[in-house]
């Protein structure tokens, strides 16, 4: 069975008298351990699809079955709990908390779990080692480069050992060199740690790191390319 199964996944918003459908009956299956890239023009529904899969947003119609569980009907608190165990999210603009150090940013998701301070310390250290930033743990986001900030954000996404990592244009704000370093790191999370990855990107070079690229247009999947 596929790890992620989207069944006629639909998102609608009321805009005055009109209804807009950023996502229109999308059927999609992703096997565990796959690396999927999502491309498509601005406004085609990429972020909407990512946020539904991550349990950040809810579909208007359709179902989302992840790891055999239909998460569509979960209460808000159950969904939040599910998300904290299952999903790591990487954003284009990193979304680090500016008044917290790199260490404290990475520790944040662990505060939702029932761990001792020592256990949290071990997990944070491992995650910072993985992104090669152990020596910067005391730094604040403003003291880091964009590429380093994104590596802290990746450490934060991976620290709870989630099964699925979703990333919304993770290299969109980076220079070429930093972008490649981030992609190599994403590839390691996929190949060495077996994380299922879903990544939105505008850059075909970045998409080449994925096993498969799907194209969205006006809320529908229109095309796919196997790498
Ligand atoms: N909260 C919202 N309310 C109304 N419309 C929205 C909302 N979120 C997204 N949309 C609309 O949904 C469409 C798809 O948005 P999005 O998924 O962000 O596209 P993409 O990530 O592909 O650029 C856009 O037309 C956007 O304006
Ligand atoms: Mg988007």
């Amino acid at each position: 069975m596929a790890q992620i199964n989207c069944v006629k996944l639909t998102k609608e918003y009321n805009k005055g008298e009109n209804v807009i459908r950023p996502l229109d009956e999308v059927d999609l299956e992703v096997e565990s351990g796959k690396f999927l890239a999502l491309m498509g023009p601005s406004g085609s529904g990429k972020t909407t699809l990512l946020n539904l899969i991550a349990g950040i947003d809810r579909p208007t119609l359709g179902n989302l079955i992840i790891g055999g569980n239909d998460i569509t009907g979960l209460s808000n608190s159950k969904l939040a709990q599910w998300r904290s165990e299952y999903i790591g999210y990487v954003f284009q603009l990193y979304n680090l908390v500016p008044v917290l150090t790199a260490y404290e940013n990475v520790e944040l998701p662990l505060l939702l779990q029932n761990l001792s301070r020592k256990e949290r310390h071990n997990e944070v250290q491992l995650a910072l080692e993985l992104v090669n930033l152990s020596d910067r743990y005391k730094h604040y986001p403003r003291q880091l480069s964009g590429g380093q900030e994104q590596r802290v954000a990746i450490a934060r996404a991976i620290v709870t050992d989630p099964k699925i990592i979703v990333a919304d244009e993770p290299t969109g704000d980076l220079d070429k060199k930093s972008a490649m370093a981030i992609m190599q790191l994403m590839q390691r999370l996929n190949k060495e740690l077996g994380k299922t990855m879903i990544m939105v990107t505008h850059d075909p070079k970045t998409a080449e790191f994925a096993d498969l690229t799907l194209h969205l247009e006006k809320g529908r999947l229109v095309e796919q390319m196997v790498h």
Side-chain angles (χ1 to χ4, degrees), residues 107-118:
E107 187 184 30
L108 268 185
L110 296 177
L111 298 176
L112 294 170
Q113 300 190 349
N114 203 6
L115 296 175
S116 69
R117 196 188 162 86
K118 179 89 179 68

Side-chain angles (χ1 to χ4, degrees), residues 42-43 45-48 92 168-169 200 202:
S42 179
K46 303 181 298 294
T47 296
T48 303
Q92 179 177 356
D168 198 350
E169 303 192 38
V200 170
H202 278 300

